[in-house]
Amino acid sequence: MQISEEHLSNNWKRFTLTNDRGMSVSALNFGGIITEVLVPDKNGVIENVVLGYERAEDYKDDPNFFGAIIGRIAGRIDGSNFSLKGKEYPLEANDGANHIHGGSNGFHTKVWKAHSFQTDSTVGVAFKYDSPDLEEGYPGNLYVTVTYQLNNRNQLTIDYQAHSDLDTPVALTNHTYFNLSGNLKRTIHNHLVSMNSSTYAELNEDLIPTGNRNTVTGTPFDFRKMRPLQEGICSEYKQNLLAKSGYDHYFLFDQKQEDAVVVQDLESGRIMRIHTDQPGMVMYTSNNLTNDHQLTGRQSAKYLGVCFETQGTPASLHHSGFPSIVLKANDPYSQQTSFSFETM
């Protein structure tokens, strides 16, 4: 296993973690952005399975949040405000009347302190950022560490650690777009997905949770048995149509299990297994991705990637029935998600 560091402009660095089986993960200290993940297909051909820009500078003002750490809160906050302990906290309205992904100067725009390391079984890089009180409107000084580690089982593990000196909502995630076809050869229509979820958060026309937890039974949202993403993308089901024909919804996991989500691409033979201790995730099928970005290997296109944003949901700030994302002062925030790659 090995680690390499490349110095870019603007004090940016690119770290590349490589294991003994040829898998590698590259990430920037800017936004903690994962720019490339190279894994083998069923014939041993090693290819990239995530979306990233051809030019590093294009990450600076990225409307798609490719590969980035999202915080303090991932997702949309209704009306760009929330109440905590009787006090109202206004936030930037950067998605119509609503707030999304921590604001326009959220964690995805920060140059994080970073250091690489190696253990007996992993290579990794730790990113640290101290978010001051009321940054982007959020209360409390929040001290965050996000660690990426790669082992020889072709498993990438992301650990999120944080603490605050005041009560504050926190819902961190990573916004990597996956495409298991390899080098973005095909869209994700034929990706097969299964997940341990029997309910999801219903959305309104602004993609804000209504507060209802809908059952997946009898709908294109039932992934308890493996099904292709195209069934929702091509569906006339109202919730799919609201999301611009696809998915941009929070799925609540029924219980913790070894593989919360399994993704397969039959043609390449790649399988990705996601394990997490988060209560759910947003699955987003890049419904808003336009065709005017130069990515590594090709031009961007709608449905070229799928995000699995394991996280708590900001719906809990306005609605009961969802796990709280409020972090108590001086309590530890500790969450983990791993992505394991294998072939059929």
Side-chain angles (χ1 to χ4, degrees), residues 179-196:
N179 184 321
L180 301 186
S181 70
N183 292 348
L184 311 184
K185 287 194 289 292
R186 298 177 295 278
T187 63
I188 46 90
H189 285 74
N190 291 322
H191 277 38
L192 302 173
V193 174
S194 67
M195 72 175 81
N196 181 36

Side-chain angles (χ1 to χ4, degrees), residues 168-182:
T168 191
V170 180
L172 305 178
T173 196
N174 178 274
H175 208 280
T176 293
Y177 293 64
F178 292 95
N179 184 321
L180 301 186
S181 70

Side-chain angles (χ1 to χ4, degrees), residues 43-74:
N43 298 314
V45 178
I46 295 176
E47 295 172 310
N48 181 32
V49 295
V50 304
L51 275 63
Y53 288 113
E54 186 174 89
R55 302 182 310 166
E57 55 265 33
D58 288 346
Y59 288 107
K60 187 165 180 59
D61 297 299
D62 177 19
N64 303 296
F65 305 94
F66 285 143
I69 298 169
I70 305 296
R72 294 186 186 189
I73 295 180

Side-chain angles (χ1 to χ4, degrees), residues 13-24:
K13 292 182 181 178
R14 180 186 287 117
F15 297 84
T16 299
L17 314 174
T18 306
N19 70 11
D20 294 335
R21 298 174 63 187
M23 177 177 170
S24 68

